[in-house]
Structure formats: structure tokens, C-alpha cells
Amino acid sequence: MIRFLCFALSLALTICSTAQGQATDVLSDQVQEVVKAYQGQGVQPDDSQPTSPDNVLSTFTLDKGIEVDLVAHEPGVEQPLFLTWDSRGRMWVVEYRQYQYPAGLKVVKYDQYLRAVFDKTPAPPPKGTQGLDRITVLEDTNHDGTFDRSKVVIEGLNIATSVQVGRGGIWVLNPPYLLFYPDADGDDVPDSDPEVHLSGFGLQDTHSVANSLTWGIDGWLYGANGSTTGGTVRSEGTPEGVSFEGQCIWRYHPESKRFEIFAEGGGNTFSVEIDSVGRIFSGTNWGNTRGLHYPQGAYFIKNWGKHGPLTNPHAYGYFEHMKCEGDSRRFAQAFTIYEGGLFDDEFQGSIIAPNSLHNVVWRSKLVPVGSTYRTVDQANLMESSDRWFRPVYAGVGPDGAIYMADWYDTRLSHLSPIDNWHKDSGRLYRVRPQGTSPRYVHGDLHTQSSDQLLQRFDDPNRWVRQRAVLELSWRGDDSITPKLIEMVDDESSIEALWVLHALNKLTPQHIALWVDHDSPHIRRWIVRLCGDDPTKPLPSAVSNALAQAARHERDSQVRVQYASTAKRVDPKTGMAIVANMLHGHDDSNDLHLPMMLWWAVEHQADDWDAIESWLSDDSMWSHPLVRQTILSRLMQRYASTGSSDHFANAARLLAMAPDDKDTLKPLLEGINRAFQGRAVPDLPQVLADAMKTYRDSLGQSGLVLAIRQGDVSSHSKAIAALADRNADAGLRMELASALSERRVDGCVATLLDLATAKTTTNRALQRVAIASLANFDEESVADRLLQSFQSSISNEDDLRATACRTLASRLGWATKLLEQVNQWHVAASDVPPDAVQRMRTFDSSDLSKSLDQAFGKEAEMSGPEKKAMLERMRKSLSATRSSASASAGKVHFDAKCANCHQLFGEGKLVGPALDGYQRSNPMFWLPAIIEPSLEIREGYQSYRALTFDGQVITGMIAQQSPETVTLKLADGLSRILDRDDLEIFEPIPTSLMPEGLLDTFSEQELADLFAYLSRDAK
């Protein structure tokens, strides 16, 4: 039934994707009923009514000292997504009216995340079916601070997310394309059809496509990519393409036509912010954070299961979001840093972060932490009682005011196949200091002289300064070079440096001088610009200057840039930079520098001469950061590929190492990590001997390593130690796991004795032995375990739940378990939901019947009865709200929810923590509880692995690489699986969360539970 309904849903979505919502006749009556009954997840439309534009300002609660103006609204603006300004100070608005389905395409397939496969790739506009997206320009013609002219410049766009103006035309990001509309005379009428500069961005999920096109002050166009689309992006300068899965910050150079990923990972990234000194930030859809700070070339956390691995399989680590002190709710999807000069000094540098989910705009302080930042919330800038207030963009305009685009819709969530967005609404707001009348007074920067533009470098508004930089960069006026040099020397003008670079007037002599400039921002950008084009070799004078300056650099952000540049230049220069950074410095405690240095080394690792030269300095081997962060990863990098050249490098690395335990240990741990979850191949003799020596030095603990490395001679000794009652319990647990992972013959009897408490009274060891038996396809395992359910395998300490998980992993064992359940020898309540879910993945009609008998039929997706239940409970909650008790509700939460979810710091984190959601709204909670499988929160999708010997393992992806995948199991343990051992690896469409949680609740108990869930909700 689920397969049919998923197919029906796919058809329904296909219908929704037809151009302009036109109906088709391909739906059967049954499929139409499914669509009617489908319950969207997240924030869906409700019965609330929009506030009229005349009254909307009365819905806002504002921070002291600010005022808000409504500067545009429907019908003049509809579904605004992105704002930018041209050199005349005019506002350009992207109206995302085609969302959520591209015009002219049909969905032929969907995955469990509602990612689409379309029937074709759309042609670039204006070819193909025209969409409803458009770009509108708003202008203040008399400079009184009010927009009095509006015109549509480009229409017929199809999933257009952002726009920029400059370099002789209009740049439009319309995935899968980046388009350039020539407009030489700037009359807003394109001179021709657009040129395609980039192609290949993904369209699988239009709420996370490429977005936020932004001019970098280095002349590149920057953008973000969301989490659930990938692509292979090609350009004239990058014809081979750059492939990636999921979120990243990318950039494109219009002159060289090169495309590259600037940094990778994060949340569903839908903003790009470049501050006054060129640092890059973005918002996120994660909770308890305001966003990310991106060093060049860095890797960040992501949802590995849903969003795929990093592009670099040897990253071996990642950065987290910036830590936040304050409101932990999700999510700050938009992000800007106020540097407009209109507000007071205390306001300057604040993060302005709209939260469309909770109808609020946060203001936070950016606080340095080493080379990166954390944030501390200040008073909210503004919040609205209007549920329709959905701010999706924030930016600082040419007049120094803050501007926000309000999607203005009762619906927010994309998790519904029905295209019922309120497409004819939208609002734009201006936030200003109380009593001010912001105006842009500088005229058309494009027509001003170079000297006039240089004067703009002193403007208090970042937008004015950076726009002047761009105009000078595009103009190519060499005559200002002496003045620019003087401004860098005497005024520490970062803007002058950027223009010098754009004019190709940054000489090796300037670089050698300015790597020691008094300004850390000048130094950081000199280092960055030296690595800007990795295809061009650096002059020797520049290489030497960089390497020497790296030795005495103290500023942590400049040091991070040195590490970034070290991976972009030639190996000799890169490793010289790394070596000099490590001399006299220990950055081990910095949040970014250790891994940035590792990524620099990793990028150069294939050049053994450079690595050997670096490590020929004996002091490197004893450096704390090298020992803690680099050595083990470098050895893992060489060993993991299995190639003869890399094995040879691993052997050379070992041969170079000083003969002391503290140095050898990380190297040998690196070899061990390279083959976790995989069989160890034949190693070069020097590596094999070193591993044996290392194992021997560990004593009995070395047995675990020997087993994992496939040392057959250690089997009998390990089994004897496992059976030894006097051996250390921790060692016995490690041995049980290792013998199980390697499926060592002859250990099943010993494991069964432990599992049934015949040779131990330690329940932790017993539990490990029970779990370890899952890897052995022997009939006796099920019989012995089930026989012990009424004696030694009790409900205490999770023993019986662990046994059920083991029995659920093989078809024959699962059949025997269900026989016992259906004969009432084992209580159905003793079988944990994840074990039931695991058994439902077997393709066996007999087993399905037994499951239905034991646990009831698997719930149908979105049946009408669910809709009726939701409405009944909604009315009940409304009627009983006044008598609800949060303290009584906590008892119900602890009994029903806390085993998997955390709220107010209490409970387990099997599923997502609940604090950051829209807790005050019953219509957020009810659909998720009544039908949990309709939306499985990203990061909590379960996967099914079927091994070639018939074992089923289920869990959530904790990490993956080309060779292995690590699953986090329901009992909290992790399991590393060799991909070569897997016959099937696929997502499970159902949630671990069982249905029917509320079936036994009285109306009062339901009200109490929801009172606790919504306690102190804002």
C-alpha cells in the first residue's frame, strides 16, 4: 500500500508541476482522493486572514529607537525573495512567483525528501516555457526617501532566485543557469537574449536551489547553494565541471570564467553576506545558531544522509555553526551585518537575522572567538503578531537603512505537494532610526569620475564604499594607480587594495611589502589574493615573501588565510607556509586553525617531495598540533586509498618518524582508522611489522587491534580472553565487538554464553554480546536468545530490547521472534519501534502477516481518518486549553516522548530536540504526532543496509565515505559498514517514531501534554 501511495503522491506532484497550475487528466479517481487527503507538514496554510497593507505596521513590536516603513506591497510586489541595488541606488527585486514547480517540466520521480527528477532540463529563458518569475526595479526619482517609480525589467523567468547589476549588464541566477543580459547603455532593456555563463545547478528541490547572487569586492560573483540540490556546474573556464552534493558557498569570475566552491557544508544555505573587510557569512536553517563564518576552503557539518558527503573524502573533520547565546529556536535563514552608518555605534556591526518561522527579526552581537565568532542576542529588532509575516531577506541599502523582503504568506513549509502558496502577496519594509528620513544622495556612481569614486572610500556606509570599488574595478582606469598605492600605505585602505588587484597593478614588490602591513585586513587580503588563481604559478619573490611572513604572523584570521592559501599554491610554497606557521606557534586550541592546517597538508599530500621536505625538520614531529591533528590523518589519507603509491608514501612516512611512542601512536592509529569497517589488505612489510610491534606494546589490548586487522593467529587467544571471567570487562566488550565485526569462526558459543549470562554477571558485557551475535547467521542464536527471555535476558538495562534488535536483523530469526510474540510468550511492548521498523523492511509476505498480527497493520499514508483525527484533536485542544496543566503534561512527555526527544534540556536525542520549533502552534505538533512518517526531519532519516549474508542493519547515517558508511543505531552505538559488503543500502520511508502515541489519551491528558510542549513558547 505504501508503494502505491508514494506512486500516487508522485503523480500528484507531477500535476502540480504543470505550467501555471493547469490541470491534466492523468489522475485516476483514487489518486485524486490521495491528493485531497494529503496532509502537508510544517507550517501550512490556515484560516487566518492577511493584514491589509494599511494596518500591517500596527502588528509589529519594535526595539526602542527604531521605526519601520512599508515601502512596497502587493500588487506592485509579489512573493519577493531577494533585493539588491544598482549604482544609481535603485532597488532591484526578484519576485519568485513561479515557486514551487518550474514551468514546462513534469516530475517523473521523487525520493523520500521530495527531491524531484524532471522529465527534461529546461531551456534557458526566454527559450522554452516561460515562467512567472520577474525582476522589478523600484526608484526614488526625486530623492525624498520614497519609491515613486516601478517597472518590470525582465519577466518570463523560471525559478529565478537573485540578480546583480554590473560589468555592462544584468546577471540573473535562474537555476540551472547563471544568465547575463547585456545592457551596455544601462537603460534596463537587455540588448539581446541572455548569455549562459554557468549551467548545471540542480533543480531537485526549489526551496534549496542556487541563490543569493552577490558581487564580491574581489570581482567574483558569489552565491550559495541549498542543502537538497546538487549539480555539476560548468563554464567556459571550467569545462570539466565541478560536482557537489548539497550546501556550499560558490563563486564565479566573469572575466576568467572560472567556477569554484569557496567553502562547503552548513545548513540549507539561503544567504551570502560579505562584510566591510571581505569576510563571508551566511544564515542557516539550523537551530541554536545565527549562521556560519566561512574561511576559504573550509568544510562544515551537514546532514550526511540527506545531503550527501563532502566533495573531499579525505577531509576527516568539519567545522560547526557559530555558537549562539540567546534564542535557540530555528531558524535564521537570512543574515546581514549592519555596517550602514545610519544607526549609532552600538548598533554598528550587529547581525540582523530574520526568522520567517517565528515571525521575528533577531539582532545579535558578533563576538570574536579566536579566528572565528560566536553570537550574543540583543533585544529583538522587531516581531509581528501577524502569522503571515515571513521575512526571507535582509540587507542594508544605499541610504544606510535596513531593508527586508517579506514573502507574506500563512504558509511557510515546502513539505506539501499542493501548490497553494499565496502568490499575489508580498511586502517590503525599511527599518530606520526613529525620527530619521534616510535618503541616498550620491547619485549615479557609474557616471562619476574616478577621483569622486575614490572619495567614496570614506563613506560610513559599506554599500557605498564597496560599490565604488566595483565601479573602479570595472572601469580599468590605470591613472589612479599611484593614488591607490598611497591610500594602502598611508590610510590602510582595503578598498584601494581591492581596486589595485582588479587593475592588475598589484606587483610582487607591493606583496613583499604589504605582507607585513600594520593592518591585519590588508595582510589577510594580500595572502588571499596570492592564491586567487591556482592555475598561475607564483613568482619566486612572492612565494618567499609569503613563506617568511607566515613565520611571524600573529593575527589568527590572517593565519587562517595563510592555511587557506597554502592549499591553493604549488606544493613547495604551500608546505613552506605550513612549516613556518608551525614554528613558534601552537594553534591547537583555535576553533579553525588546526583543521585548516590539516586541509592544507592534505591538499599537497600527493607531492611526497614537499611532504618529505616539511617533515625533515625534526621539530615538526613533536609539535602538539602536528601530533594531535595532522599525523594520524596524513597516514589515514595515504593508507585509505589502497594504491601502491600511497602505501609507499605511508611506509616512507613511518620510516621518517622518530622512534618514540608518542609519535608512532598517531601514525598507527591513522592506519587503523583507514580500514575501520573494512578488511585490511596486504600491507607493505614495514607497515605490517610496525602494526605488530604497536599491538604487542598494548598487551592484551593489542588483541582487539590484531583481530580488526585480520591477524588469524590471534583468534584463539582472543576467544580465550573473551571467555576469561577474570579478564577486564572493558577488554572483553572490545573483543566481542571486534570478533563480531570480523565474523571470526568459533566465537559464537562464547558469545552466547555471555549473552545468556552463563559466564558473566556484567549486564553491559551481556548487552554487547547480544548485539555482537547479529553478525553470525546461525540458527542456534535465535533459539538460545528466545529461550532466555524468561530468565537471564530481562527488561532491565535494555537487554531484551537489544535482543529484539538482534533477532530483527535476519529473516529467520525475525520469524521466530514474531512466533513468540503472537503466542504471547514475548510481550509486543518489549519489541522496540526500531526493531519493528527493521522487520518491516524484509520482503516477505508471511513475515508481514505476522507483523500485522503482532503490531497491527502498517498505517496508510494520509488516509481520510487521519485528517478527521487531526481536526477532532484540534477542536479538543481549543476547548480544554484553559484547564491544561503543564506540570501534569511533563509526566506524559516523560512517558511517551522523552525516550527519543529532548525538551528544556531533558530527554534523549534519538530524534531532534524540540525547543527550536514552533511550539505554540498545535497545528505544528498534531500532524507530526498523528502521522510521523510524512515529514522526517533532516538528519533523522533511517537507512536500511542488507549485507550479502542476509543481515539487516538499520540506523541513521553518522558519516560516510566512498569506502564505508557509519550508522548510528537505535541503541546509541555506531556501526561502520564496508560498502563492498552491502547488497542494498537505501532509506526507509517510515519514521522510527511509532504511530498511535495519542490513542490512549483523554482530552484532559492531551491538553496537559500540549501545555507542557508549548510552555514558555514565544
Side-chain angles (χ1 to χ4, degrees), residues 44 115 542:
Q44 297 295 326
R115 285 186 297 209
V542 171

Side-chain angles (χ1 to χ4, degrees), residues 337-381:
I337 296 175
Y338 185 79
E339 296 175 300
L342 186 64
F343 287 81
D344 61 24
D345 291 344
E346 189 274 334
F347 200 96
Q348 195 78 1
S350 294
I351 295 171
I352 307 301
N355 182 327
S356 56
L357 179 60
H358 294 289
N359 320 113
V360 65
V361 180
W362 286 313
R363 181 168 80 90
S364 306
K365 183 184 297 184
L366 200 60
V367 180
V369 181
S371 64
T372 185
Y373 299 94
R374 64 184 178 91
T375 64
V376 178
D377 281 356
Q378 310 298 293
N380 289 341
L381 185 72

Side-chain angles (χ1 to χ4, degrees), residues 273 276 336-350 352 395-403 431-434 436-439 441-442 456-465:
E273 176 70 351
S276 60
T336 193
I337 296 175
Y338 185 79
E339 296 175 300
L342 186 64
F343 287 81
D344 61 24
D345 291 344
E346 189 274 334
F347 200 96
Q348 195 78 1
S350 294
I352 307 301
V396 180
D399 57 2
I402 300 166
Y403 287 83
V431 181
R432 55 183 171 81
Q434 196 169 33
T436 62
S437 300
R439 289 175 174 80
V441 297
H442 293 303
R456 304 289 174 238
F457 289 180
D458 293 325
D459 196 275
N461 188 347
R462 179 185 84 197
W463 183 90
V464 174
R465 298 195 302 272

Side-chain angles (χ1 to χ4, degrees), residues 662-714:
D662 290 338
T663 303
L664 290 175
K665 182 179 179 181
L667 292 174
L668 299 173
E669 286 175 345
I671 297 177
N672 190 42
R673 277 206 298 267
F675 300 106
Q676 279 186 333
R678 296 192 291 155
V680 180
D682 292 334
L683 298 173
Q685 193 60 46
V686 64
L687 295 183
D689 291 345
M691 291 305 292
K692 184 177 185 305
T693 301
Y694 176 57
R695 291 199 308 264
D696 292 344
S697 72
L698 298 176
Q700 277 201 309
S701 298
L703 280 174
V704 177
L705 198 53
I707 294 297
R708 289 197 166 121
Q709 291 171 351
D711 182 357
V712 177
S713 66
S714 65

Side-chain angles (χ1 to χ4, degrees), residues 510-532:
H510 295 135
I511 292 170
L513 178 65
W514 290 337
V515 287
D516 291 318
H517 199 283
D518 289 342
S519 166
H521 304 307
I522 297 287
R523 299 198 303 272
R524 179 167 53 85
W525 269 94
I526 286 291
V527 176
R528 178 164 158 185
L529 293 173
C530 286
D532 211 41

